[in-house]
Amino acid sequence: MLAYSPKSMPFTSNHVSSATGLLSMLTEPSPPLRKAALTRLFAIVDTQWHEVAQALPDLEALSEDEGEDMEVRHLAAKVASRVFFYLEEPEQALRLALDSGEGVFGDSTVIQNPAYVDCLVGAAVDAYISKKKKLHDANADADAENEVYDALPLDKLQAVIQFMFNRCYAAQKFEHALGIALEAREADKVREIIFHCAAKGNWKKLYNVLQYSFHAATTLVTSKAFRFEVVQIISDQLEKMTSDDSGVPSGLKKSCAFMLANTYQVLRSPKPVSDILSKLLSGEEDDMLLGLQLCFDLVESGDQTFVNSVAAFLKGNMIGNTTGNFEKALKILIGGFSCELAISFLHKNSDSDPLIMSNLKQSLEQRGSMRNSMLHNCSVMTHSYLNAGTTNDEFLRDNLDWMKRASNWAKFSTTASLGVIHAGHITEAMTLLEPYLPPNPESEEGNLVTSAGGFAEGGALYAIGLIHGSYAGSSADKRDETYQYLLKHLRNSHANEPISHGAALGVGLTALGTNRLEVISELKELIYTDSAVSGEAAGIAIGLVLVGSGAGNIRHNLDSTDADEINEIISELKTYAKETQHEKIIRGIVMGIALINYGQEENADYVIDEMRRDRDPLMRYGAQYTLALAYCGTGSNKAIRLLLHTAVSDVSDDVRMAAVIGLAFVLYKTPTRVPELVKLLLESFNAHVRYASCMAVGIAMAGTGDAESVALLEPMLSDMADFVRQGALIGTSLIYMQEGDLCNDKKVKSFREKLASLVGDKHQTTLTKMGAILATGIIDVGGRNCSFDLGSKNGYTKMTSAVGAALWLQHWYWFPMMHMFSLAITPSFTIGLNKDLKYPKGFEIQCNSKPSAFSYPKRLEEKKEEKKKRVETVALSTTAKNKARLARKKAKEEDGDEKMEEDKNEEKENNTEEKMEVEREGDDEETEEKEKKPKKKREPEPLSYRLSNPCRITKDQANFCQFDLDQRYRPIRTEEKPQGVIMLTDSSPEEEEDVGTVKPPSIESEDEAGPPEPFEWTPPEEDSITTRAQEDTTDTEN
């Protein structure tokens, strides 16, 4: 609350040197005297408040005296309220102001003392919000409790709030009123504010208010039930604006339709979204482009289950439509076109440096570290990170002997890494992995599954799941076909742990969010085999299949036909987790429960409380991830309070570590809060808490290059615990993702050099080297074209990214979880498409920054061995003279022919001087030649440049980019940031287009000649054959 000093207040015309005399009259028995004294005190209280403050007890007693005249009581309350205002106690000032009658907020008071009124209104707003939150939420924050606020009558506070609302309506400051209504969770007030705004008749203003309301509801409101209520109010108003008789301009009506579809997506109502799409796709060209843009945005949100539901309704609406627009929409939604765009860009624009892996392999071999299977496994994973989604596995094929060193579960991880490299390459997934896949279960060989071996086969099944599950926009038909294939292997592989492990994870990824009962039943049977490794994978896979469904809770998103059976299975798994002795199975089940409750918010509170109170630390560990995923991106104060409490109080290191990491999930939309919260935790005596703090900062600040966050992690790079150093390296690499060499005063370059030196340092422990190796791949993930981001460009939490990040963090316990990193990364590409879904090469984007600010890091240079050249010694003239002098001195001492010696020495001196003079002349000539050559002037770097189509635009770079609306191709939604897929309008459709076609990469060599064009072959006639044979015979004889 702002404090107002007396100097800021206007002086009244009634100047009195002292208020002592008036204060003494308050004790007079005559009511008229007391009333006169109070009237006079009220007139001078703005200047004499420091004297009046001594009589506050008397004033309060007068205001509360029921036997006193009501006017006297009101005057006493008004004077006391003013004094408390100057004493900077707004709560007490508000309490007395409410007791003084309705005139305190009248027009005359506002004019005479606006600061006083603003202060009281602010206090009233805080009190109103506090009381309303307690009415709606029994578990309101403890720090929000205030005894003075609790004592205030709600009806009087509502009168003050209404007074403030009326002022907002008059000034058309509807956003201010909306902020209070949203914080107080007053849905009726939100509806009232929107009604008053609509009554003004300003459609543009109303659209802006609705846009503000929608953004605030989806980012600031922490209650899911209230958020849905507000979004429903917004959608009702948008429906009125998009109706044919609304009178809204056509351009604004299209924007309203787009926002209306977003509101229905939040409400998870696929039918209205499909109706909006049908209407747009059946309209004019601009409407059709807007519909296709909406399709791309739906896929980009990462909720494939919702997208499939929209596509199913859209198929029913397309009956009778012959324009072909519906086919394009379905191609985007479930045809895998979005996936093709991503993988095509990553393949063609990969900036992966091949020397990184070569130097890494060489460093490990020189130190003998390659004998360490852990470091070898991390090197393989680093290679997959560097080339994630690029389909570039050239290094693996060139170093097959090096790859063959992997054995057992390392072989499983190595084979599965192909799924990370080829993520999204669904068209040729089976062809790529055919050499490693197990035999068909329906064949005789497939029925003979043994318990031995199967590591490569299991890894191949896992890789297939990664290829189809890494991108939400992959083809639904291909995904379903692969799901059936993996389900057969799952049913037939219970005897072999690696194969069943890979099949379970693969089938979970391909059936992500489908809620299919048949696969859940199969996975439950796999858990009941009591195999630790297979049971863990099955528990996680059940969570993947039921992700975000809320199965097992009172409210859920399951189909009514299968809901009872699935809920029963979840209940059985919870019971089994308490009975089994295998920690891996328990961890798999609790992580599955966490995935099931993704996005459930308060609906998951019962499950979270139950798991938090459990005596088993593994159950409490799962409770932290359940809490993090249930409130992912909401910024819920309740969730933060619970996580912080666990982080400093739980007796298990693993539970505390999970709680700290969970903060990054809850606060990823406001990432700067995470470093502030964990700043003290980084100094904790507990090494696991320090490790988790490093990871939390890295996840929250990924790709920002934030200097303060890097400075926080810098001391951790030299921590006493090796795994803390590992966490600091991984966290710093996440922060430096997609940052150029100039980032953070070029410290990113020194960090890269540090990573390379740590790998080859024999004094570093294995865990530290492991962190350095993984950080090498993370910092340049996806050919330097991918980012680690839990949210989409439109503000939605990406389900695949959140799930992938949570499972990737389980690599602390099980290395094959490292592969889940491919789900968490997002390609940072921007591509403009025309109505035919081809990209015009003439479309460009203006970037208002220096090219070096967002350029790729400089590639490593291969060290060349310098040949040693023999350097001739140069004798100086002074040296020759000294030698001659010594020789003459020696000749004088000895008997002999002195003259001959002197002549020889003089000749040597002359020859040496001549040589030096010749050399000097040669040097002068070279210097003159160098001076004659003009020096190249360094041209100043341009302050802006243009990006071609398609191009890489990072999250930070998008803030410096803008569309050039004067060019031929313009975006259909000019207000959006230039990120992702952009549908373009053509201002000159009559002119010829220079466009490119999106093609997924092929496993065949690009240099290989293509097949010949089709032709018809006609056999030659018999006469011609005889003639040719005779000619050949004649030639042979000659």
Side-chain angles (χ1 to χ4, degrees):
M1 188 59 60
L2 295 174
Y4 299 92
S5 65
K7 295 180 180 179
S8 65
M9 304 302 302
F11 284 93
T12 60
S13 59
N14 300 313
H15 292 288
V16 179
S17 59
S18 177
T20 307
L22 295 173
L23 293 174
S24 63
M25 294 173 64
L26 296 178
T27 58
E28 291 290 333
S30 173
L33 286 176
R34 291 197 299 271
K35 180 179 178 182
L38 287 169
T39 305
R40 186 67 175 154
L41 282 172
F42 184 70
I44 66 170
V45 69
D46 291 335
T47 57
Q48 303 298 326
W49 61 270
H50 52 284
E51 292 187 34
V52 182
Q54 299 174 8
L56 274 176
D58 297 334
L59 291 169
E60 289 192 73
L62 278 173
S63 68
E64 296 172 359
D65 189 357
E66 294 181 358
E68 191 64 68
D69 182 62
M70 188 59 68
E71 191 174 354
V72 173
R73 292 177 62 185
H74 286 176
L75 278 171
K78 285 182 180 181
V79 175
S81 176
R82 293 294 180 98
V83 175
F84 275 117
F85 162 68
Y86 286 110
L87 291 174
E88 298 183 8
E89 295 188 29
E91 299 91 349
Q92 299 292 347
L94 175 64
R95 176 179 63 83
L96 290 162
L98 293 175
D99 292 339
S100 64
E102 299 179 357
V104 69
F105 295 105
D107 294 336
S108 60
T109 310
V110 174
I111 296 170
Q112 293 174 5
N113 206 335
Y116 169 72
V117 175
D118 289 344
C119 177
L120 292 192
V121 168
V125 168
D126 291 341
Y128 181 73
I129 290 172
S130 176
K131 291 178 78 69
K132 278 292 184 179
K133 279 186 176 180
K134 287 184 178 181
L135 288 174
H136 292 290
D137 187 4
N139 300 319
D141 296 346
D143 56 1
E145 294 181 1
N146 189 309
E147 293 181 1
V148 179
Y149 286 167
D150 293 341
L152 296 175
L154 185 59
D155 55 342
K156 291 185 177 180
L157 285 174
Q158 286 176 334
V160 178
I161 296 300
Q162 190 60 48
F163 163 78
M164 194 278 301
F165 278 178
N166 293 335
R167 289 175 62 186
C168 291
Y169 297 155
Q172 295 194 17
K173 301 293 184 182
F174 301 103
E175 292 85 352
H176 298 175
L178 274 169
I180 297 171
L182 291 174
E183 279 203 69
R185 300 187 186 180
E186 287 279 355
D188 293 336
K189 289 293 181 185
V190 173
R191 187 179 286 105
E192 177 187 313
I193 294 165
I194 293 176
F195 173 78
H196 278 85
C197 184
K200 299 292 182 181
N202 188 339
W203 298 115
K204 183 63 177 176
K205 178 69 175 177
L206 177 59
Y207 173 76
N208 291 336
V209 169
L210 291 173
Q211 197 172 34
Y212 171 83
S213 306
F214 182 67
H215 176 73
T218 53
T219 56
L220 302 178
V221 176
T222 56
S223 171
K224 186 176 183 180
F226 178 65
R227 185 189 312 125
F228 275 33
E229 198 172 353
V230 172
V231 174
Q232 184 63 56
I233 294 170
I234 296 170
S235 66
D236 292 343
Q237 182 61 44
L238 287 170
E239 280 187 351
K240 296 176 183 177
M241 296 176 69
T242 53
S243 61
D244 296 334
D245 56 348
S246 63
V248 179
S250 59
L252 189 60
K253 189 179 290 187
K254 292 176 184 177
S255 299
C256 290
F258 198 87
M259 197 203 308
L260 181 60
N262 289 332
T263 61
Y264 284 128
Q265 186 179 358
V266 173
L267 296 171
R268 298 193 64 79
S269 302
K271 181 66 169 66
V273 174
S274 66
D275 292 340
I276 294 171
L277 275 175
S278 302
K279 188 175 181 180
L280 290 173
L281 295 172
S282 303
E284 299 177 356
E285 183 174 316
D286 285 358
D287 294 337
M288 181 268 292
L289 291 173
L290 190 63
L292 297 181
Q293 181 70 65
L294 180 57
C295 291
F296 280 114
D297 288 354
L298 286 172
V299 174
E300 202 255 347
S301 66
D303 192 350
Q304 189 63 37
T305 306
F306 183 79
V307 172
N308 290 340
S309 302
V310 173
F313 285 113
L314 193 63
K315 287 180 180 178
N317 295 341
M318 68 180 290
I319 299 173
N321 187 285
T322 58
T323 59
N325 297 335
F326 282 79
E327 286 78 4
K328 294 176 185 177
L330 291 173
K331 181 181 179 181
I332 296 168
L333 293 172
I334 57 175
F337 184 68
S338 299
C339 183
E340 290 179 8
L341 287 175
I343 194 172
S344 175
F345 176 83
L346 292 177
H347 175 72
K348 293 180 179 178
N349 297 273
S350 173
D351 194 58
S352 181
D353 191 348
L355 278 180
I356 293 177
M357 277 308 299
S358 299
N359 293 348
L360 178 60
K361 176 174 173 287
Q362 187 177 357
S363 298
L364 293 175
E365 287 177 343
Q366 286 177 352
R367 296 293 179 184
S369 300
M370 200 50 69
R371 291 192 296 271
N372 189 322
S373 62
M374 185 186 295
L375 296 182
H376 181 270
N377 183 46
C378 290
S379 303
V380 174
M381 288 312 305
T382 293
H383 174 262
S384 66
Y385 289 169
L386 290 169
N387 299 282
T390 64
T391 71
N392 181 14
D393 56 1
E394 197 172 318
F395 179 83
L396 296 182
R397 301 185 185 280
D398 293 344
N399 297 273
L400 289 176
D401 293 337
W402 179 70
M403 299 299 298
K404 288 178 182 177
R405 296 180 185 178
S407 60
N408 298 331
W409 284 105
K411 183 185 290 185
F412 178 94
S413 294
T414 301
T415 311
S417 69
L418 291 171
V420 180
I421 297 170
H422 294 275
H425 198 189
I426 56 177
T427 53
E428 299 183 5
M430 302 299 290
T431 308
L432 285 164
L433 296 169
E434 188 177 3
Y436 311 101
L437 289 171
N440 192 334
E442 297 176 354
S443 65
E444 294 182 2
E445 294 180 3
N447 289 323
L448 300 175
V449 178
T450 60
S451 59
F455 294 101
E457 291 84 351
L461 295 176
Y462 185 19
I464 290 180
L466 290 168
I467 290 174
H468 290 79
S470 293
Y471 293 106
S474 58
S475 172
D477 293 338
K478 287 283 186 181
R479 187 189 288 242
D480 189 64
E481 181 183 338
T482 307
Y483 159 76
Q484 297 294 340
Y485 172 80
L486 291 171
L487 187 60
K488 292 177 183 177
H489 281 288
L490 178 65
R491 289 170 176 163
N492 197 55
S493 61
H494 289 193
N496 188 288
E497 259 192 345
I499 295 180
S500 60
H501 182 80
L505 291 175
V507 80
L509 289 167
T510 52
L512 185 70
T514 57
N515 303 334
R516 292 180 176 177
L517 178 60
E518 58 171 347
V519 66
I520 295 171
S521 302
E522 290 293 334
L523 291 168
K524 184 192 75 170
E525 295 300 323
L526 181 59
I527 291 177
Y528 285 168
T529 60
D530 209 38
S531 168
V533 177
S534 301
E536 181 183 28
I540 293 173
I542 289 176
L544 290 170
V545 176
L546 294 173
V547 62
S549 66
N553 300 338
I554 298 174
R555 295 187 297 273
H556 50 73
N557 304 330
L558 299 173
D559 190 2
S560 57
T561 55
D562 301 331
D564 293 337
E565 292 185 52
I566 293 176
N567 288 332
E568 186 178 350
I569 291 173
I570 300 302
S571 179
E572 291 176 6
L573 291 180
K574 291 178 182 177
T575 306
Y576 186 77
K578 297 179 180 179
E579 296 174 352
T580 184
Q581 300 299 315
H582 292 295
E583 289 188 1
K584 291 181 73 65
I585 294 179
I586 300 173
R587 185 176 291 110
I589 291 175
V590 297
M591 285 306 300
I593 293 172
L595 296 177
I596 290 170
N597 287 282
Y598 163 79
Q600 291 296 305
E601 300 183 35
E602 57 263 24
N603 189 32
D605 285 350
Y606 177 78
V607 179
I608 294 169
D609 291 339
E610 183 184 14
M611 296 173 72
R612 287 181 69 242
R613 291 194 300 265
D614 201 286
R615 296 181 61 185
D616 189 350
L618 285 171
M619 297 297 289
R620 299 199 303 275
Y621 172 86
Q624 310 314 310
Y625 275 102
T626 305
L627 184 60
L629 290 175
Y631 288 92
C632 185
T634 61
S636 170
N637 290 329
K638 178 178 69 175
I640 295 168
R641 187 176 66 252
L642 292 174
L643 290 170
L644 286 174
H645 175 72
T646 305
V648 297
S649 63
D650 201 279
V651 295
S652 171
D653 290 336
D654 288 351
V655 177
R656 297 177 70 176
M657 184 171 67
V660 176
I661 292 176
L663 293 170
F665 286 84
V666 177
L667 293 172
Y668 86 85
K669 289 186 178 180
T670 53
T672 53
R673 291 180 61 189
V674 176
E676 296 172 0
L677 284 173
V678 305
K679 189 174 183 179
L680 294 177
L681 296 177
L682 282 166
E683 301 174 4
S684 171
F685 69 92
N686 190 303
H688 289 76
V689 172
R690 297 200 301 273
Y691 167 85
S693 300
C694 294
M695 296 296 290
V697 173
I699 292 170
M701 305 299 294
T704 61
D706 185 60
E708 294 182 3
S709 301
V710 172
L712 275 179
L713 300 185
E714 196 168 356
M716 300 295 104
L717 296 174
S718 55
D719 194 272
M720 293 178 61
D722 52 1
F723 63 87
V724 176
R725 297 197 294 272
Q726 178 192 119
L729 290 167
I730 294 175
T732 308
S733 66
L734 284 168
I735 297 172
Y736 278 142
M737 283 176 69
Q738 291 194 314
E739 296 294 336
D741 291 331
L742 300 179
C743 175
N744 197 8
D745 295 332
K746 301 183 179 180
K747 288 184 180 179
V748 62
K749 189 175 182 181
S750 61
F751 176 72
R752 290 176 181 273
E753 293 171 354
K754 183 179 181 65
L755 293 178
S757 63
L758 286 174
V759 175
D761 189 354
K762 63 180 181 181
H763 299 292
Q764 295 293 338
T765 62
T766 300
L767 285 180
T768 305
K769 289 185 177 180
M770 174 184 169
I773 294 171
L774 290 177
T776 303
I778 290 170
I779 198 171
D780 291 331
V781 68
R784 297 173 175 172
N785 288 319
C786 288
S787 63
F788 184 95
D789 196 355
L790 301 183
S792 67
K793 67 175 184 179
N794 292 324
Y796 299 105
T797 300
K798 291 189 68 174
M799 184 177 69
T800 50
S801 297
V803 168
L807 293 179
W808 170 67
L809 291 166
Q810 306 311 306
H811 74 262
W812 175 273
Y813 309 99
W814 186 234
F815 284 167
M817 291 293 105
M818 290 180 183
H819 302 74
M820 292 293 181
F821 194 71
S822 65
L823 273 73
I825 57 177
T826 305
S828 302
F829 72 98
T830 298
I831 182 170
L833 300 177
N834 64 4
K835 61 180 181 180
D836 299 322
L837 300 182
K838 297 180 180 180
Y839 60 93
K841 298 179 180 178
F843 173 66
E844 293 180 334
I845 296 173
Q846 179 76 17
C847 183
N848 299 316
S849 70
K850 293 182 178 181
S852 60
F854 300 103
S855 61
Y856 288 110
K858 190 177 180 181
R859 290 198 175 196
L860 299 177
E861 294 181 359
E862 193 170 0
K863 294 181 180 180
K864 296 180 180 179
E865 296 183 1
E866 296 182 359
K867 295 181 179 180
K868 295 182 180 179
K869 296 181 179 179
R870 188 172 181 180
V871 181
E872 297 180 0
T873 55
V874 179
L876 299 176
S877 58
T878 54
T879 306
K881 289 180 180 179
N882 288 335
K883 287 182 179 180
R885 194 181 303 110
L886 292 172
R888 283 196 299 270
K889 188 175 180 182
K890 189 176 181 180
K892 288 179 181 178
E893 294 175 356
E894 296 177 357
D895 295 334
D897 194 356
E898 294 180 357
K899 289 184 179 180
M900 290 182 63
E901 291 292 331
E902 288 178 2
D903 293 340
K904 288 180 181 179
N905 287 332
E906 288 177 2
E907 288 178 5
K908 285 181 181 179
E909 288 178 11
N910 294 333
N911 291 337
T912 305
E913 288 177 0
E914 288 175 3
K915 285 180 181 178
M916 291 296 297
E917 287 176 2
V918 171
E919 288 175 1
R920 285 174 184 168
E921 288 176 2
D923 291 342
D924 292 341
E925 290 176 1
E926 289 179 3
T927 305
E928 289 177 3
E929 288 179 2
K930 288 180 180 179
E931 289 177 355
K932 288 179 182 178
K933 291 181 180 179
K935 294 183 179 180
K936 292 183 178 179
K937 292 183 179 179
R938 190 174 182 180
E939 296 182 0
E941 194 174 7
L943 299 177
S944 64
Y945 61 103
R946 297 176 76 85
L947 296 164
S948 59
N949 187 29
C951 59
R952 181 191 82 154
I953 295 182
T954 64
K955 192 174 181 179
D956 290 339
Q957 187 180 6
N959 298 323
F960 297 89
C961 293
Q962 64 182 31
F963 296 114
D964 181 8
L965 302 181
D966 295 330
Q967 58 182 330
R968 176 179 176 179
Y969 299 98
R970 306 184 188 96
I972 191 65
R973 285 180 56 79
T974 56
E975 63 271 23
E976 296 289 338
K977 284 186 177 181
Q979 276 185 298
V981 183
I982 305 165
M983 296 307 300
L984 304 173
T985 59
D986 188 0
S987 59
S988 304
E990 68 281 353
E991 297 181 8
E992 187 177 352
E993 290 188 281
D994 184 13
V995 296
T997 306
V998 177
K999 294 180 181 179
S1002 174
I1003 58 174
E1004 297 179 359
S1005 174
E1006 295 180 0
D1007 299 332
E1008 188 176 345
E1013 295 181 0
F1015 61 93
E1016 293 183 3
W1017 180 78
T1018 54
E1021 298 178 1
E1022 293 182 2
D1023 296 340
S1024 62
I1025 294 174
T1026 306
T1027 306
R1028 287 180 184 174
Q1030 291 176 355
E1031 290 177 356
D1032 292 341
T1033 305
T1034 306
D1035 293 339
T1036 304
E1037 291 176 355
N1038 293 333

